[in-house]
Amino acid sequence: MSKKPVKTASRVVAKAAPSKSRASAAKRPRKASNPTAEQRIALALEAILAQLTAAAADRPGAASLASAEAFVWHPDGRLSGVSKVSRVDLELLQGIDRMRDILIENTERFATGLPANNALLWGARGMGKSSLVKAAHASVNARPDVAGKLKLIEIHREDIESLPALMTQLRASEFRFIVFCDDLSFDGNDASYKSLKAVLEGGIEGRPDNVILYATSNRRHLLAREMVENERSTAINPGEAVEEKVSLSDRFGLWLGFHRCSQDEYLAMVKGYCGHFGISMNEAELEREALEWSTTRGARSGRVAWQFTQELAGRLGVRIRGG
């Protein structure tokens, strides 16, 4: 009678080993394939902290603000310096003497720490509204008692909603700032004008003492007529709704109106440009060509005078410095 083979201890151990391994594997905690809620929150906070640190590093300090006289504001929190501002000399701006004197006086008061008003320059296109703002800044900034402490910051129309962030950034600076928005207006259902209202006079903090706002627009009331009409037709109280929108312009303490220039003023602009840049031509011939140019353009304005001057200088081979 044959005997069954005796199982050795080694075989028993060999067979037992896999089951022990499986048991230990079952007890070992499985590595999570997805992060827990706490881990996701921690990662998000780390990312936010990194972004805030980077933004703080990009914010200009006193040294960087001193590096240029003008800057362009970006809604991500950056102020990029402008090495050379595109502007026209103050003496070349013809036909706007009254508006020039008022804006210069207002800018001088602000630059020297006296009370001054936000200014809205409105009216006919091409009559030197934005040119006057840039020329006034340069003129006042060159005064010995200002000595470059007045900075010009341009904010684009589409970035108006980030204006409160810019105010926060400028509030503690030792410099004084003209925040300038060219061709400011609002259309359709655009609600960003509320940010501008809050900065001008609303808001708890208000406008910083070292900041003033200058804006140019073809509209006196900044808001399209259809916006006002829509509010009048759909609001529960039409009068209050319209009043809210029209009141935006009222928050600019200084209104400067620019109107279409006369023929004499237009010719004075052309002659002023030609004299400044050394363009020599018979006066009668110059007037004839300048008037013909304005007729083909269908308008007389400072912009048209400047465009004619560029055409004439190019034709006569005269280089315009700084144009």
Side-chain angles (χ1 to χ4, degrees):
M1 185 174 182
S2 60
K3 295 182 179 180
K4 294 182 180 179
V6 178
K7 296 181 180 178
T8 61
S10 60
R11 289 180 181 175
V12 173
V13 173
K15 282 189 175 183
S19 61
K20 184 178 181 180
S21 176
R22 284 193 297 269
S24 61
K27 292 180 180 180
R28 189 182 300 123
R30 184 178 297 175
K31 187 176 181 179
S33 58
N34 296 318
T36 63
E38 291 81 0
Q39 289 173 325
R40 290 196 300 271
I41 293 173
L43 291 172
L45 290 175
E46 289 177 2
I48 293 172
L49 179 60
Q51 291 177 355
L52 292 176
T53 303
D58 289 339
R59 288 177 184 168
S64 58
L65 285 172
S67 65
E69 62 178 343
F71 298 83
V72 175
W73 166 255
H74 301 277
D76 60 0
R78 292 180 298 112
L79 282 170
S80 56
V82 178
S83 58
K84 183 179 180 182
V85 178
S86 174
R87 58 174 164 239
V88 176
D89 292 340
L90 192 62
E91 61 269 19
L92 291 178
L93 299 176
Q94 303 289 330
I96 54 173
D97 297 353
R98 178 176 173 275
M99 286 73 77
R100 177 198 63 201
D101 294 343
I102 293 174
L103 190 67
I104 287 287
E105 182 180 358
N106 191 71
T107 307
E108 287 174 344
R109 290 175 182 172
F110 171 71
T112 54
L114 294 173
N117 276 309
N118 301 311
L120 174 63
L121 291 71
W122 67 275
R125 66 184 189 276
M127 282 304 299
K129 298 183 292 294
S130 60
S131 295
L132 178 57
V133 171
K134 291 182 283 187
H137 164 257
S139 176
V140 173
N141 203 30
R143 286 178 38 150
D145 55 343
V146 179
K149 293 290 186 181
L150 181 63
K151 306 296 180 180
L152 181 66
I153 297 180
E154 182 179 22
I155 181 170
H156 296 141
R157 156 67 192 86
E158 57 271 19
D159 299 330
I160 284 295
E161 287 187 340
S162 66
L163 192 55
L166 174 60
M167 296 297 102
T168 300
Q169 191 162 316
L170 301 180
R171 190 177 295 274
S173 176
E174 63 178 359
F175 295 102
R176 302 187 75 77
F177 302 94
I178 297 174
V179 175
F180 170 50
C181 184
D182 192 21
D183 196 18
L184 179 63
S185 61
F186 301 92
D187 295 300
N189 296 320
D190 189 351
S192 60
Y193 73 92
K194 294 182 179 180
S195 298
L196 179 58
K197 285 180 64 175
V199 168
L200 287 171
E201 286 185 11
I204 292 178
E205 291 183 309
R207 173 171 57 87
D209 293 336
N210 63 336
V211 177
I212 200 169
L213 285 97
Y214 286 176
T216 68
S217 177
N218 294 331
R219 302 172 184 164
R220 184 175 182 178
H221 290 296
L222 299 178
L223 303 168
R225 182 182 299 273
E226 58 267 20
M227 290 180 70
V228 178
E229 294 299 330
N230 288 341
E231 289 290 344
R232 182 178 286 114
S233 62
T234 59
I236 296 176
N237 190 326
E240 291 182 358
V242 173
E243 184 68 21
E244 178 191 2
K245 291 183 176 292
V246 173
S247 68
L248 174 60
S249 298
D250 292 341
R251 304 204 177 197
F252 289 91
L254 190 62
W255 287 6
L256 298 177
F258 290 69
H259 307 285
R260 297 188 184 280
C261 63
S262 66
Q263 178 173 299
D264 290 340
E265 289 171 335
Y266 167 72
L267 292 175
M269 294 174 188
V270 171
K271 293 174 182 177
Y273 282 135
C274 290
H276 181 78
F277 294 112
I279 302 173
S280 179
M281 187 180 227
N282 177 270
E283 184 173 348
E285 181 68 13
L286 177 64
E287 291 183 359
R288 186 190 67 78
E289 290 200 16
L291 291 175
E292 182 181 350
W293 179 272
S294 68
T295 301
T296 60
R297 297 302 305 272
R300 291 191 299 262
S301 68
R303 181 178 298 147
V304 172
W306 171 244
Q307 291 168 346
F308 169 72
T309 304
Q310 288 183 305
E311 162 67 21
L312 187 61
R315 178 153 38 96
L316 297 178
V318 177
R319 296 186 180 276
I320 294 180
R321 303 171 302 280

